Amino acid sequence: MNAKAASKKEREDALEGIGCSRKRVEDPRFTQGKGNYVDDIKLPGMLHGDFVRSPYGHARIKSINKEAALATPGVLAVLTAEDLIPLNLHYMPTLAGDVQAVLAHEKVLFQNQEVAFVVAEDRYSAADGAELVEVEYEELDPVVNPFHAMDKDATIVREDVKDAKEIGGHGPRKHPNHIWNWQAGDKDAADKAFKEAEVTVEEMVSYQRCHASPMETACCVADFDKINGELTVHGTFQAPHVVRTVAALISPLPEHKIRIISPDIGGGFGNKVGVYPGYIMAIVASIVTGVPVKWVEDRIENLSATAFARDYHMTGELAATKDGKITGLRANVIADHGAFDACVSASKFPAGLFMIVSNSYDIPAAHVSVDGVYTNKAPGGVAYRCSLRVTEAIYMMERMIDILAQKLDMDPAEIRLKNMITPAQFPYTTTFGLQYDSGDYPAALKKAMKAVGYDDLRKEQAQRVEDFKAGKTRELMGIGVSTFTEIVGAGPSRVCDLIGLVGTFDSCEVRVHPTGAAIARFGTKSQGQAHETTYAQILSSEIGIPASDILIEEGDTDTAPYGMGTWGSRSTPVGGAACANAGRKIKAKAQKIAAHLLEVSEDDLEWDVDTFRVKGAPSKAKTMKEIALASYSNVPEGLEMGLEAVEYYDPPNFTFPYGAYICVVDVDVDTGETKIRKFYALDDCGTRINPMIIEGQVHGGLAEAFGISMGQIIDYDEAGNVVGASFMDYFIPTAVETPEWTTDHTVTPCPHHPIGAKGVGESPNVGGVPAFSNAVNDAFTALGGVHTQMPHTAPRVWEHAKELGLVA
Ligand code: CDP
């Protein structure tokens, strides 16, 4: 009996290609505890390291006594800055062009700074030893408030660079605690717009210091092989190749003798891009002891020392006509970078991509100025689920446009629609020179408004205010609108590079095996985003091999092609494009082989899902599987054997996904408690590879946005003590607090991406925070409230109600 030939649709479905909600292939191992994380790596003879950390925010180190620690059973070594100086390793370069102390030398500059590294037979002995290292300190005044960091009489944070003319090549400094000033836009044009404006608004909008707090903290196992002079480091690295290059630059080891392996990673969110002292110390300790050394930080260490996010204090200004057309934008920003400038930034952009601040609006004149300052706080400045300061910029703009709407007595949605870039204006060049690729912003917002019943919600809100004034209710209602344009897919190497050395391209290498299965390797590195699932989908649509027959590998610098790694939602825009183009190279070669096998010219063939057919004679055909076998046995003369392709893709532009979010919140004025009643999120990320995974990305990002806007803050008291450095204090929303999400989408393909895709991972974090914050602020606008700073915790909301005279 002849089996019925599969239909085109059946063959397409069997591929599980682009557009399919394919189940995540990673999940069987993740959900059964079979993932291979750094802490699962146990090498023979492996030792463990732990840090002695500073109890002070700012202090001089007078002496360090290792004796008692060295006498602790199991402790083998105690390393301090004095041990690193001969190796010139007491400071390491940061991604921002500054240097950071690996172990504190002479002074400690923030609480929990690394002071000594204890190496022991097990983790417990290392911790016991760390307890017994005696450090004598002389306390110094800390610089805590970034607004006073550049005061005339401010304590100098960094004595090592106090006389440096510039840091990271970013121009003259104004003060020993000043790092750089960065400006963008046209100051004269912006000033003129403000001079001539009918209406202006100004507000200081802070985006508080918070933390990405991935489930797995930073960790590594360093393994130095003395005989062969080879160093292998297994670590939680989002960008393994960059780590290898930095290691080769600062050590005597040549790059080919360094192998960086990122195994499974339990969340990164930007927290695992930078290089931390723990990595350096594990490597040094492995070289010193000749055996592998593991370093795994605990939660408090992660929250208090391993980088921070945001800490941008933005004075925003908008100029507008009386009927709400924005004519000018200005922003003056103080960026608190902590004790070392270790921000993850492209080297030309010390303030990241802050110039996305004009957002989805057609603003004719704008100017921004950002000053980075040193304070006695942890360094880091990670782009927490964000392409380098995008979330800060969008937050400021989305608060400012609401504040302008309030001043003009306009509806927040109406003022947005009035100022949005229209579809006819694409490709649109912003006043800062960014070229937006594609979008229909008004359509997205109108769809969102319709979906939530916006007009009815506003009526209900107005009635609620009346009832509140009449004493019939003590609950107010806020509606938060957020429309955002994201900039992801860093990026064109001509504008974006890391450490001034390597461009932000990415890569894919595909090899099809004789039986028609394939392996593809990438320079990116998934930390939970399911690249093993989705890259295979892109390839399967390109080359007609089922996604289930394609193995995706990332994270081993000995096998993966060089790439910039995964951060700032760049995997789909850059890695995904490399993947599609590598697939196209495979297909082009396969076409030559098919023509040879079918004895026709290449031009006589057409592609049909997984098969090349002769035009006009469709039964004469060769499937990709057949071609794969022939590529190892019967290729046309002059063509090399095998079916392999490599693509290094340097994108021509960023991609600009966007969205329209609406949040409805009920606020109990007497307790300050907020209840999220509804959250609707519409995202447009161009071509959707896996709708289910996109939904998961949006859910996760919104949960983070909820956490940030409603509860998270890493604060410091006047003495420089870090407050909020454990999960007792730092708000991590669980399923109990997290509201329900309604997700939606429109599809506007990216014109310059091979499959029309834009990134999506960070959009919900960028767009979600202003939606929550606008909702809480909106609840009070009818009663005179203008702006309150995040996080909108119950005590803060209650305080605000009190300030407005709404509670006794
Ligand atoms: O760089 P990162 O992986 O963090 O972010 P991304 O490029 O936004 O992708 C996150 C996940 O969403 C990946 O598994 C993508 O393949 C998926 N995605 C998608 O299915 N379709 C898109 N247009 C964008 C992302």
Side-chain angles (χ1 to χ4, degrees), residues 426 437-440 655-656 658 684-688 746-758:
F426 282 92
D437 50 3
S438 60
D440 187 344
T655 70
F656 296 86
Y658 60 95
D684 192 318
C685 58
T687 303
R688 290 151 54 86
T746 52
V747 176
T748 315
C750 170
H752 64 76
H753 188 282
I755 60 164
K758 306 180 181 186

Side-chain angles (χ1 to χ4, degrees), residues 65-138:
N65 184 346
K66 307 175 180 180
E67 254 171 58
L70 283 170
T72 309
V75 170
L76 298 166
V78 177
L79 300 168
T80 64
E82 296 301 324
D83 300 305
L84 300 180
I85 290 169
L87 307 169
N88 201 23
L89 273 179
H90 55 311
Y91 280 97
M92 61 180 184
T94 69
L95 289 177
D98 194 359
V99 290
Q100 176 176 348
V102 175
L103 292 175
H105 177 51
E106 292 173 356
K107 279 208 312 182
V108 287
L109 301 184
F110 62 95
Q111 192 177 50
N112 281 354
Q113 185 181 350
E114 301 81 0
V115 176
F117 192 68
V118 178
V119 186
E121 281 164 6
D122 58 73
R123 181 108 199 254
Y124 304 99
S125 311
D128 289 347
E131 288 273 304
L132 293 173
V133 175
E134 290 163 20
V135 188
E136 202 187 333
Y137 296 98
E138 176 196 327

Side-chain angles (χ1 to χ4, degrees), residues 250-333:
I250 65 171
S251 77
L253 294 172
E255 201 159 356
H256 69 291
K257 296 268 189 180
I258 303 171
R259 183 177 183 187
I260 304 295
I261 303 174
S262 296
D264 285 329
I265 298 182
F269 312 112
N271 194 226
K272 293 168 181 170
V273 178
V275 174
Y276 300 117
Y279 304 154
I280 307 285
M281 289 317 299
I283 293 169
V284 170
S286 178
I287 292 171
V288 169
T289 59
V291 288
V293 175
K294 179 183 274 189
W295 167 71
V296 180
E297 64 178 359
D298 67 24
R299 182 59 60 188
I300 291 178
E301 293 177 296
N302 181 252
L303 278 169
S304 62
T306 301
F308 70 95
R310 323 300 194 224
D311 224 344
Y312 255 40
H313 308 281
M314 307 167 281
T315 302
E317 288 177 274
L318 289 181
T321 61
K322 271 193 218 125
D323 61 353
K325 184 83 191 81
I326 301 171
T327 52
L329 157 70
R330 285 194 300 220
N332 246 300
V333 182

Side-chain angles (χ1 to χ4, degrees), residues 190-209:
D191 289 348
K192 185 163 175 277
F194 275 84
K195 226 165 142 193
E196 293 169 1
E198 291 171 2
V199 184
T200 62
V201 283
E202 178 180 333
E203 190 62 56
M204 208 289 284
V205 177
S206 271
Y207 201 136
Q208 77 275 17
R209 180 173 274 241

Side-chain angles (χ1 to χ4, degrees), residues 529 531 534 566 569-572 685 687 689-690 694 758 760-761:
Q529 298 94 327
H531 293 174
T534 52
T566 290
S569 275
R570 64 188 301 281
S571 301
T572 304
C685 58
T687 303
I689 300 157
N690 185 319
I694 292 173
K758 306 180 181 186
V760 77

Side-chain angles (χ1 to χ4, degrees), residues 79 147 212 264 301 387-388 433 487 656 702 715 734 742 807:
L79 300 168
F147 288 101
D264 285 329
E301 293 177 296
S387 292
L388 321 170
I487 170 168
F656 296 86
L702 289 177
D715 213 353
T734 66
T742 304
V807 282

Side-chain angles (χ1 to χ4, degrees), residues 58 98 107 109 141-164 167 172-181 334-341 371-376:
H58 196 192
D98 194 359
K107 279 208 312 182
L109 301 184
D141 275 344
V143 176
V144 176
N145 185 334
F147 288 101
H148 293 302
M150 291 197 283
D151 285 356
K152 238 180 159 177
D153 57 349
T155 314
I156 295 174
V157 176
R158 289 282 299 278
E159 280 165 18
D160 60 318
V161 295
K162 70 176 191 310
D163 299 322
I167 304 283
R173 303 163 73 202
K174 302 178 214 167
H175 184 281
N177 290 338
H178 186 228
I179 313 175
W180 41 253
N181 172 263
I334 289 285
D336 185 341
H337 283 219
F340 305 97
D341 189 7
D371 282 299
V373 295
Y374 289 127
T375 59
N376 289 111

Side-chain angles (χ1 to χ4, degrees), residues 11 15 543-544 607-612 622-625:
R11 284 186 294 128
L15 291 181
I543 63 176
W607 178 248
D608 172 29
V609 184
D610 52 6
T611 302
F612 276 110
K622 288 289 168 195
T623 64
M624 191 49 117
K625 217 172 155 132

